[in-house]
Amino acid sequence: MGIRTNAIHDFNYQIHMLGSDGKVFETLAMANNFNVAKAAFEASLNERSWCTIELCNGGRIIEQATTGGYDTETKTVPILNRRK
């Protein structure tokens, strides 16, 4: 048995940004480790404003959050809605 190599699409977890129609607009990250995927999901919530971001395991949505606009005073992006 040889070394298993991952194809570019062979990741357990994906972080997607959804468009206004609810379909995947952009794939922000992919990972095989849940802790890495969760960290990428949390980081993307701080970077992307006015969008919906979801953490998926294949076809299963693990977590989804909607962000608001960037606040210049606190230098943060508020999370308007979060669903696990």
Side-chain angles (χ1 to χ4, degrees):
M1 198 165 212
I3 298 172
R4 182 177 184 268
T5 59
N6 290 345
I8 193 147
H9 61 277
D10 192 20
F11 291 97
N12 293 331
Y13 302 98
Q14 306 87 28
I15 292 88
H16 299 295
M17 184 170 75
L18 304 180
S20 59
D21 58 357
K23 295 183 180 178
V24 175
F25 177 72
E26 182 181 358
T27 299
L28 302 174
M30 295 185 286
N32 279 325
N33 182 294
F34 175 74
N35 293 326
V36 173
K38 180 70 172 170
F41 174 75
E42 294 297 331
S44 65
L45 294 177
N46 294 324
E47 295 294 322
R48 303 290 176 134
S49 59
W50 297 114
C51 66
T52 300
I53 299 173
E54 63 183 15
L55 170 61
C56 301
N57 181 357
R60 183 174 66 107
I61 298 171
I62 297 172
E63 193 168 349
Q64 187 178 59
T66 304
T67 61
Y70 180 75
D71 185 3
T72 56
E73 289 181 19
T74 61
K75 297 184 179 4
T76 60
V77 176
I79 297 172
L80 303 177
N81 186 13
R82 193 172 197 137
R83 178 176 72 92
K84 290 186 179 192

